[in-house]
Amino acid sequence: SDFSESAARLVAPGALYPSSFTPDGRSLLAVRDGDVVIVTGEGAHARVETLFDTPEPKRTPELSPDGRWLAYAARVGDRDQVLVREFPGPGPPTQVSIDGGSTPLWNPRGGELFFLTLPGSGTAAKPWAVMAVSFTPARPVPVIGRPVQLFPYDVNDLAFCGSPVRCHDIAPSGEYFYAVQSAPASNRAVTHINFIPKWFAELKAKVPGGRAR
C-alpha cells in the first residue's frame, strides 16, 4: 500500500500538486489550497491529511534527504520567505531566507539548502538568483548559515521558479542543476501544416511488436 506499483490509478481526487516523496516511498507531500498535505497510499485510494494548520499560504514543500526536515515557502510579513521545520513535527518553523525567498531544494549530499531570490521584494533591482545556505540539524531549532548567491539567471530564459511546486531539479552529486530553457524565438512564418492520417497504423507497421523507443 504505497506509490511503487506500476499500474496508474487515481489515489486522491481534487487539486493536489505533488512535490516530494518520503524516503520510504509510502507518502507524498503535496500542496492543496495553500496548505501542505501528506498523502499516504492505502490500496486503491489514499489518506490525505493537512500537515500543519497555519493561515498563511504555503508552497513548494521539500523533504531533506534523510526525511527529517521539511523546507517550504510561506508568507512572512509582506513577502515570501523560505522556512524549515522538523518533519513530521512538532516544532516551530525556522526562517532560512533573509530578503525574501522561494522554491527550496536540498543538496542530495546533505548539509546545504538551495532556494531562489524574489526580485519583486526587498532590495531594488535585485536579480533572480540561486542561493545556497548551510544547514546543520539540531533541536529545538537547526543551525542555519547566512545565504550566499551561487549564480544569477534570466527568468525569461531559464524556468527555475515554479508555484505551487518547483520546476527545477538537482543532480544526485549536488553539482548540477536542471531547468527548462525557453526555446529561441523564430521569425519564420508558418506556411503549411503536415497531416498524417492513420498515424498509429503506420507506427505499428514500422516498429515490430508495437514497441517504440
Side-chain angles (χ1 to χ4, degrees):
S1 60
D2 54 26
F3 298 104
S4 62
E5 298 178 16
S6 59
R9 68 191 193 280
L10 177 66
V11 296
L16 284 170
Y17 296 87
S19 185
S20 180
F21 277 101
T22 55
D24 61 9
R26 293 183 175 275
S27 298
L28 171 69
L29 293 183
V31 177
R32 181 179 66 179
D33 297 330
D35 284 323
V36 177
V37 299
I38 184 167
V39 185
T40 304
E42 291 184 343
H45 301 285
R47 184 176 71 254
V48 182
E49 299 175 294
T50 300
L51 196 57
F52 48 90
D53 189 12
T54 54
E56 73 280 357
K58 294 165 285 291
R59 289 169 289 280
T60 59
E62 293 291 332
L63 278 177
S64 60
D66 62 7
R68 296 181 179 179
W69 298 90
L70 172 66
Y72 61 99
R75 200 74 173 174
V76 177
D78 63 348
R79 69 189 69 175
D80 280 359
Q81 302 283 6
V82 173
L83 308 172
V84 67
R85 63 196 304 158
E86 194 172 359
F87 179 82
T94 300
Q95 187 169 314
V96 174
S97 56
I98 297 175
D99 194 21
S102 71
T103 323
L105 178 62
W106 295 92
N107 189 325
R109 297 176 299 179
E112 191 174 33
L113 183 63
F114 306 110
F115 66 91
L116 306 180
T117 57
L118 290 175
S121 62
T123 306
K126 182 174 59 176
W128 288 92
V130 176
M131 309 291 289
V133 61
S134 62
F135 176 86
T136 303
R139 293 179 176 83
V141 294
V143 179
I144 307 293
R146 185 172 182 83
V148 296
Q149 179 178 297
L150 287 184
F151 57 88
Y153 68 94
D154 183 352
V155 69
N156 296 311
D157 181 45
L158 294 174
F160 271 93
C161 190
S163 183
V165 294
R166 64 179 169 86
C167 57
H168 68 284
D169 209 346
I170 189 170
S173 65
E175 297 178 352
Y176 304 98
F177 289 92
Y178 300 100
V180 176
Q181 186 173 32
S182 301
S186 175
N187 295 323
R188 293 184 299 175
V190 177
T191 58
H192 68 279
I193 297 176
N194 294 325
F195 176 71
I196 304 175
K198 300 181 179 180
W199 183 83
F200 282 108
E202 183 176 341
L203 176 66
K204 290 180 179 179
K206 292 183 177 181
V207 181
R211 295 180 62 87
R213 293 183 181 274

